[in-house]
Amino acid sequence: MTDLEPIRVRGARENNLKNISVDLPKRQITVFTGVSGSGKSSLVFDTIAAEAQRQLNETFTRFVQGFLPSYGQPDVDSIKELNAPIIIDQKRVGGGSRSTVGTFTEINADVRALFAQVGQPSAGPAAAFSFNTPQGMCPECEGIGTTTQLDLDRFLNHEQSLNGGAVLHPEFRVGRWVWKIYALSGLFENDKPLKNYGKAELERLLYGLPAGQELKVEFGGFAYQYEGLVERFTRMYLKKDAGEMAARNRKVFEQFTDTRTCPACHGARLNLAALESRIEGHNIAELCELEVSALVDVLRGLKQPKSAPLVKAVIRRLDALVEIGLGYLSLGRETATLSGGESQRVKMIRHLGNSLTDMLYILDEPSTGMHARDVERLNGLLRELRDKGNTVLVVEHDPDVIAVADHVVDIGPGAGTHGGEVVFEGSYAKLKNADTLTGRFLAQHLPIKEEVRRARGQLSIKKAVQHNLKSVDVDIPTGVLTVVTGVAGSGKSTLINGVFLAQHPDAIVIDQARVTANVRSAPATYTGIMDDIRKAFAKANNVSASLFSFNSEGSCPNCNGLGVTYADLAFMEGITSTCEVCGGKRFKDEVLEYTLRDRTISDVLGMTAEEALAFFTEKKIRSVLQAMNDVGLGYLTLGQPLSTVSGGEGQRLKLATELHKQGSVYVMDEPTTGLHLSDIGLLMGIIDRLVDAGNTVILIEHHLDVIRQADWIIDLGPEGGSGGGEVLFAGPPGDLQGCERSVTARYL
């Protein structure tokens, strides 16, 4: 135990928290447990992390604060003895084409220093080995590794004229300001099809005027410089990083362009001088494309005394990546391609490299996407963070991570309005004997299924070679529950999401991709019951159903039905505040005078799915609400913005909308993500009902209780990356334990 003052939280009321107070010991690991929706994240992230970040941000100047995210003051009486926070969540790293695992973790900086020190022939200082600096980047692709060209055959319809819509890109279509530059330039006959243009005329349209000539086109009070279509497109789009475009813009961009490996650097991103410098026969690009586990072996073989300290530092950080189960990644892997779980682990490695102590590390379910073998390694990293003198707060469901805690705070007893209380505080040993949902389920494990279902047929995969798959042949039985297992990077997602779904595109995919990015989307709109709710209100009050839509006639004119208003302060972070006209209710006052069984439309959208199930008598609405409750989402309110829903919750919301189908193939990617131990039995009950109704269900999953309950297991491995890609076992769970090469078998 430490003799430091604990972090003291008093009177926390954020979201569903019921005025709770806790003391959290410093320089220890505290794990927060409880069912989904119980209030763990409300306490840890929305209260403690938000206040720590807010107070830290206030130490900066107003100018700097303008570039930082805005944190409002959480609903809490006081939080004392806070440390400076480092929040390691599961938001994907992103960062565009220039951000790689090596640049993000800053391991590349050490590798560049190594080449500057001992690379032969010398290419200069470390910056000369960076694809993000002018000294190091390939001049052809500017360090991206690919070149993108406009595809004129897709961009233009030569049968049409300018007035007829010859330019197919939506930003250049007839009537837009860009189109007017060409139509009003006086250079072209606007009704003449492009196929009838002479060579000089087409040259003018595509590549602009001859050198030395200029033209300004005036309309709408502005004068625009004339330039050819290809020049303008290049400046507007090709000079920008497609990885940082909004998804919709990127989709349009890709429609009209061809992206190829850069012909100058062949994808290596660097200039010739950097690529010619080598250490033991390897240039820097070749080393960064090796899997981390292979790169460690190469570096250990270096025999140059001058570089020994630097090599040792690089190996230490690479070993941490291997230890946390990411040895299959390369330093050159773009961070935008990492999953949420991989992103979080890469963030951990980045922070392990610093020398800071007495920090407050806050982690959100770090075991997500991890095999049981890798969870052991994760626990080692959590201890390492603590032993450096830091306080570690972890929100977690995995029993193996809970077991490493010095202190446990269990929130409950249920979800939503039934949660928000501290039901246990103390050691892991005491939690196992506590009369809480977490305490009771820690001691329970589902047995290995002995009576398995018989397959009705099979869906075959032949000679699969995508990514690391080694010419895999495997049959997936139909009419049963198949669980695909293996360590991270072993090829599970490639086999199912890559190969199987390409061959069976009509399968129903229930993954963890965000259900929507629309600020107006909510569970009621996503599941389709909003229309039926509006009709029920319209019928009860003999008025138009469109009155009860916050996207249409009935919306509050001040906030346009969002319930909040946004103030853009230009020089500072924008402010979001509750609409002062409707008070966050989203609707006009006159709409709120209409009721259905004494409840307004705003009251109904504020109900949880559990409360709404008790309120509605309408059959179609009840069936969807029942499905939401069945998948453990009874605590979500019908009007809650979907932007606040986690990946695991979104996946279960998708499942709720698909439960009624029969004779289908379902593919689910780690459906236990974010689920409490007590909910896993509930989920397996739903999946069993799907299979019993004649469906084929395929799960990619690490959770041992789910693996034990499969009818058929396909285990890939034995390791990740190049060390994986083989089917080690295919059969019923009872036989897996005889497979000596399987890591999964050892933990089952």
Side-chain angles (χ1 to χ4, degrees):
M1 294 293 286
T2 64
D3 54 3
L4 296 169
E5 288 289 318
I7 296 171
R8 302 186 192 279
V9 181
R10 296 292 179 265
R13 294 174 295 275
E14 197 68 32
N15 299 329
N16 67 332
L17 298 179
K18 294 172 180 168
N19 204 38
I20 66 175
S21 300
V22 288
D23 287 351
L24 307 174
K26 293 276 184 76
R27 296 183 186 170
Q28 292 193 11
I29 299 170
T30 297
V31 175
F32 295 79
T33 62
V35 296
S36 302
S38 61
K40 305 182 299 297
S41 293
S42 294
L43 177 60
V44 178
F45 289 95
D46 299 342
T47 305
I48 298 169
E51 181 62 7
Q53 194 70 59
R54 186 185 72 82
Q55 291 190 25
L56 179 64
N57 287 2
E58 284 188 349
T59 66
F60 298 109
T61 64
R62 283 282 175 201
F63 176 76
V64 173
Q65 284 181 44
F67 297 99
L68 300 172
S70 175
Y71 293 87
Q73 201 152 0
D75 190 0
V76 60
D77 289 340
S78 68
I79 307 181
K80 301 280 178 68
E81 307 296 335
L82 270 175
N83 302 62
I86 291 178
I87 299 164
I88 307 177
D89 57 23
Q90 289 188 29
K91 287 178 184 156
R92 284 177 161 79
V93 173
S97 308
R98 294 188 177 279
S99 176
T100 65
V101 170
T103 61
F104 184 79
T105 57
E106 296 174 1
I107 297 173
N108 266 21
D110 287 342
V111 178
R112 291 197 300 268
L114 182 63
F115 269 83
Q117 192 177 68
V118 295
Q120 290 298 326
S122 173
F129 295 93
S130 170
F131 51 78
N132 287 330
T133 65
Q135 303 100 297
M137 67 173 57
C138 165
E140 178 78 15
C141 63
E142 298 183 345
I144 300 291
T146 56
T147 56
T148 305
Q149 295 87 24
L150 175 62
D151 186 329
L152 287 172
D153 291 336
R154 285 185 267 167
F155 190 67
L156 299 174
N157 179 351
H158 287 264
E159 299 295 320
Q160 292 291 348
S161 64
L162 281 174
N163 280 348
V167 188
L168 301 174
H169 191 285
E171 288 300 317
F172 291 73
R173 69 172 178 259
V174 177
R176 300 299 288 260
W177 70 270
V178 181
W179 170 83
K180 288 178 182 176
I181 293 172
Y182 301 93
L184 301 177
S185 66
L187 297 171
F188 310 103
E189 294 176 49
N190 293 342
D191 290 317
K192 182 162 82 172
L194 300 194
K195 66 180 181 182
N196 296 336
Y197 276 34
K199 186 180 177 186
E201 206 173 2
L202 193 60
E203 194 80 10
R204 253 198 324 265
L205 177 66
L206 297 180
Y207 302 106
L209 300 170
Q213 291 185 26
E214 275 195 10
L215 173 66
K216 289 256 191 340
V217 183
E218 295 187 17
F219 59 88
F222 293 94
Y224 298 91
Q225 183 76 36
Y226 180 83
E227 56 188 336
L229 285 169
V230 174
E231 292 173 303
R232 186 172 293 277
F233 185 89
T234 300
R235 185 173 54 77
M236 288 174 66
Y237 298 102
L238 295 185
K239 293 296 183 188
K240 294 180 180 175
D241 186 350
E244 294 182 343
M245 289 180 184
R248 179 178 156 276
N249 293 345
R250 187 165 65 248
K251 202 170 181 182
V252 173
F253 171 79
E254 288 167 353
Q255 205 178 320
F256 296 99
T257 56
D258 272 329
T259 300
R260 300 174 192 142
T261 302
C262 173
C265 67
H266 304 291
R269 298 173 174 245
L270 293 155
N271 62 32
L272 197 59
L275 294 175
E276 284 182 341
S277 182
R278 293 180 177 269
I279 297 175
E280 304 282 347
H282 303 277
N283 68 30
I284 189 168
E286 290 165 352
L287 289 184
C288 287
E289 284 310 308
L290 290 176
E291 288 182 6
V292 164
S293 50
L295 177 56
V296 170
D297 292 339
V298 171
L299 292 177
R300 286 207 169 101
L302 295 185
K303 299 287 186 280
Q304 303 200 27
K306 182 182 175 184
S307 63
L310 203 48
V311 169
K312 190 177 177 184
V314 177
I315 288 175
R316 186 175 61 81
R317 298 188 69 179
L318 293 173
D319 276 342
L321 274 169
V322 175
E323 274 299 301
I324 206 166
L326 296 178
Y328 59 90
L329 296 181
S330 67
L331 294 182
R333 171 88 171 259
E334 289 185 14
T335 51
T337 66
L338 300 177
S339 69
E342 287 170 336
S343 294
Q344 189 177 35
R345 280 174 271 162
V346 166
K347 289 175 193 174
M348 285 182 73
I349 298 304
R350 182 182 184 176
H351 292 304
L352 275 172
N354 68 42
S355 307
L356 300 171
T357 60
D358 261 328
M359 304 296 286
L360 176 62
Y361 283 86
I362 302 174
L363 296 98
D364 187 12
E365 294 186 38
S367 70
T368 296
M370 276 195 177
H371 191 273
R373 191 270 309 271
D374 297 326
V375 172
E376 278 187 26
R377 297 168 165 181
L378 165 73
N379 286 342
L381 285 174
L382 293 177
R383 290 189 185 102
E384 198 177 324
L385 284 174
R386 175 198 63 192
D387 295 344
K388 277 174 66 178
N390 300 298
T391 302
V392 183
L393 308 184
V394 186
V395 173
E396 188 54 82
H397 291 295
D398 190 301
D400 293 330
V401 179
I402 300 170
V404 82
D406 302 302
H407 187 72
V408 181
V409 177
D410 197 16
I411 308 287
T417 54
H418 303 300
E421 301 173 42
V422 176
V423 291
F424 171 84
E425 270 191 279
S427 67
Y428 172 72
K430 288 180 180 172
L431 174 65
K432 286 197 290 187
N433 298 314
D435 188 25
T436 70
L437 266 178
T438 307
R440 292 198 294 275
F441 277 86
L442 275 176
Q444 296 182 20
H445 286 294
L446 294 174
I448 291 178
K449 186 189 278 188
E450 292 178 2
E451 295 292 321
V452 297
R453 299 178 183 89
R454 295 189 59 147
R456 298 180 184 179
Q458 61 190 38
L459 301 167
S460 296
I461 296 174
K462 298 288 184 194
K463 300 285 181 287
V465 292
Q466 194 173 329
H467 293 151
N468 68 332
L469 296 178
K470 294 171 180 167
S471 195
V472 166
D473 293 332
V474 68
D475 295 325
I476 295 176
T478 57
V480 303
L481 169 60
T482 296
V483 177
V484 183
T485 67
V487 297
S490 59
K492 306 182 298 298
S493 293
T494 302
L495 181 69
I496 302 302
N497 296 335
V499 180
F500 178 78
L501 288 179
Q503 295 175 6
H504 302 276
D506 50 351
I508 297 166
V509 182
I510 302 174
D511 60 15
Q512 292 188 34
R514 285 278 175 196
V515 281
T516 183
N518 187 333
V519 291
R520 294 181 175 276
S521 296
T525 57
Y526 181 78
T527 57
I529 59 172
M530 192 66 201
D531 287 343
D532 295 304
I533 291 172
R534 292 193 297 113
K535 285 173 189 171
F537 269 91
K539 187 178 176 185
N541 294 282
N542 200 24
V543 291
S544 166
S546 62
L547 273 178
F548 303 100
S549 169
F550 50 73
N551 294 328
S552 181
E553 208 179 312
S555 65
C556 163
N558 188 54
C559 64
N560 295 318
L562 289 173
V564 294
T565 54
Y566 300 97
D568 183 3
L569 301 182
F571 57 91
M572 286 178 65
E573 181 76 20
I575 292 175
T576 303
S577 51
T578 302
C579 174
E580 55 191 37
V581 174
C582 68
K585 293 183 177 178
R586 295 180 163 203
F587 295 91
K588 296 175 183 172
D589 283 346
E590 54 265 38
V591 175
L592 298 177
E593 290 174 9
Y594 299 115
T595 61
L596 175 68
R597 296 188 283 280
D598 297 327
R599 297 294 185 95
T600 68
I601 184 73
S602 184
D603 292 336
V604 166
L605 290 174
M607 290 179 180
T608 62
E610 182 187 15
E611 292 165 341
L613 184 60
F615 172 78
F616 281 104
T617 56
E618 290 75 9
K619 193 175 177 185
K620 277 177 77 176
I621 299 173
R622 283 184 59 81
S623 66
V624 173
L625 292 171
Q626 185 62 60
M628 280 184 69
N629 280 274
D630 286 348
V631 297
L633 295 178
Y635 59 89
L636 288 186
T637 62
L638 300 189
Q640 180 176 336
L642 286 187
S643 57
T644 65
V645 168
S646 71
E649 287 169 336
Q651 188 178 31
R652 280 175 278 145
L653 198 55
K654 291 177 192 174
L655 179 57
T657 63
E658 301 283 0
L659 278 177
H660 59 283
K661 296 185 178 173
Q662 289 189 335
S664 302
V665 177
Y666 286 82
V667 173
M668 301 185 206
D669 196 350
E670 296 188 37
T672 62
T673 297
L675 275 186
H676 188 264
L677 293 165
S678 63
D679 289 327
I680 285 170
L682 183 76
L683 175 73
M684 293 311 296
I686 294 164
I687 289 171
D688 280 337
R689 289 213 305 274
L690 276 176
V691 178
D692 292 339
N695 297 296
T696 298
V697 178
I698 304 164
L699 307 184
I700 301 169
E701 188 54 79
H702 290 295
H703 202 289
L704 296 174
D705 276 351
V706 174
I707 297 169
R708 292 184 185 107
Q709 288 295 294
D711 298 307
W712 193 258
I713 289 173
I714 297 172
D715 191 41
L716 277 85
E719 291 297 330
S722 59
E726 300 175 53
V727 173
L728 304 178
F729 174 84
D735 296 347
L736 175 60
Q737 286 165 306
C739 181
E740 289 182 9
R741 294 181 71 207
S742 168
V743 176
T744 307
R746 295 205 289 276
Y747 286 86
L748 204 59

